[in-house]
Amino acid sequence: MSKKKILIVEDEIKIARFLELELTHEGYDVEQAHDGREGVQKAQNEPFDLIILDIMLPHINGIEVLRKIRQTSTIPIIMLTAKDEVMDKVIGLDMGANDYMTKPFAIEELLARIRAALKAGRQLVSKENTLQLGNLKLDTDMYKVTYGTEIIELTKKEFDLLHYFLENKNIVLTRDKILQAVWGYDYIGDTNIVDVYIRYLRSKIDDKYNIKLIHTVRGVGYILKHE
């Protein structure tokens, strides 16, 4: 089995080197980039399985790096920052980050988050480029969702959730299954995260187009199907 390749985008050389040593020891193939511009260039021109991305970077900050990468790639991205502010997390996650850690952090936790993100990424890989239910269509290559001819704007997590539903349409999915597949690990004390994102999808699809695709199975979970 080939090694998973990870890109570390971190301007603090000591931290980047520490992460490289730890990840190499865990069996990963690791490369570094020390500013946002270099990070974007490497991410767009070399094949990686996961990116560890700091927010505070020279030239281009981490949020902008994330935005540029997400224009063409769904690669798992874990963001790092010295800040512990809710809005930083919200912006990063809404723009497509898979996970978020605040410095200082325990390396064991970061390694666990990496394993979870890689596992979730494998589970979300589809054999089909296009998934469809009625007029709702999801294109994995173009990273685009449409209803009829109209484009539906989704965040990264909303896209992943809809992707998982379409791959399992007409199947009842428990909250635990959805958490494991889409988030990669359970959010301790926040098991309602699935319900929150279901509401987001319903508002952008079911409510907007006056259809009923996402159904609640009381006491169990959800199912994507036509009425």
Side-chain angles (χ1 to χ4, degrees):
M1 183 181 294
S2 61
K3 290 183 178 181
K4 294 295 183 182
K5 191 172 181 181
I6 295 178
L7 173 63
I8 299 168
V9 187
E10 168 64 69
D11 63 319
E12 295 186 50
I13 304 299
K14 288 183 179 180
I15 293 177
R17 180 57 177 160
F18 167 73
L19 290 175
E20 181 181 33
L21 290 172
E22 291 289 339
L23 293 175
T24 301
H25 180 72
E26 291 294 317
Y28 298 108
D29 187 4
V30 182
E31 285 196 27
Q32 296 183 33
H34 300 133
D35 64 63
R37 193 174 297 146
E38 182 186 11
V40 171
Q41 185 177 26
K42 282 182 174 288
Q44 292 180 340
N45 293 290
E46 299 179 41
F48 292 98
D49 296 289
L50 181 140
I51 297 173
I52 298 173
L53 175 63
D54 190 31
I55 283 188
M56 303 299 290
L57 293 169
H59 303 312
I60 305 175
N61 67 42
I63 294 295
E64 182 64 14
V65 172
L66 173 65
R67 188 188 68 79
K68 289 179 179 294
I69 293 173
R70 279 290 175 256
Q71 290 176 347
T72 58
S73 173
T74 61
I75 182 174
I77 296 176
I78 298 176
M79 301 205 74
L80 305 178
T81 182
K83 296 180 179 179
D84 189 17
E85 298 177 6
V86 172
M87 282 311 299
D88 289 329
K89 296 180 181 180
V90 170
I91 292 170
L93 293 171
D94 276 351
M95 291 192 66
N98 297 74
D99 208 343
Y100 198 109
M101 292 196 68
T102 303
K103 299 176 185 177
F105 52 83
I107 188 63
E108 292 81 7
E109 183 178 0
L110 177 59
L111 292 172
R113 299 287 184 97
I114 289 171
R115 290 191 295 270
L118 289 171
K119 181 180 178 182
R122 288 196 301 272
Q123 291 173 328
L124 289 169
V125 172
S126 174
K127 294 179 181 179
E128 302 177 64
N129 295 331
T130 301
L131 300 171
Q132 188 166 355
L133 180 63
N135 291 324
L136 180 67
K137 184 183 294 186
L138 182 148
D139 188 320
T140 57
D141 287 342
M142 298 296 292
Y143 200 73
K144 182 174 70 173
V145 175
T146 55
Y147 188 83
T149 59
E150 188 172 343
I151 295 175
I152 302 173
E153 298 291 342
L154 298 180
T155 67
K156 171 65 166 57
K157 198 58 68 179
E158 290 165 355
F159 183 94
D160 288 348
L161 179 58
L162 181 60
H163 187 177
Y164 183 60
F165 269 119
L166 283 167
E167 284 191 315
N168 296 277
K169 59 188 177 185
N170 301 314
I171 298 173
V172 176
L173 301 171
T174 66
R175 288 175 177 81
D176 287 342
K177 281 185 178 179
I178 296 169
L179 275 171
Q180 184 178 4
V182 179
W183 278 264
Y185 65 95
D186 291 345
Y187 280 72
I188 298 173
D190 192 13
T191 55
N192 291 328
I193 190 73
V194 172
D195 304 308
V196 171
Y197 275 83
I198 291 293
R199 288 200 298 271
Y200 293 162
L201 282 184
R202 280 175 169 163
S203 69
K204 293 183 177 182
I205 300 172
D206 292 33
D207 297 345
K208 182 174 182 180
Y209 298 102
N210 195 28
I211 54 175
K212 183 70 173 177
L213 296 182
I214 305 172
H215 301 259
T216 300
V217 181
R218 191 174 299 278
V220 182
Y222 298 95
I223 183 171
L224 183 74
K225 66 176 184 177
H226 279 300
E227 281 189 309

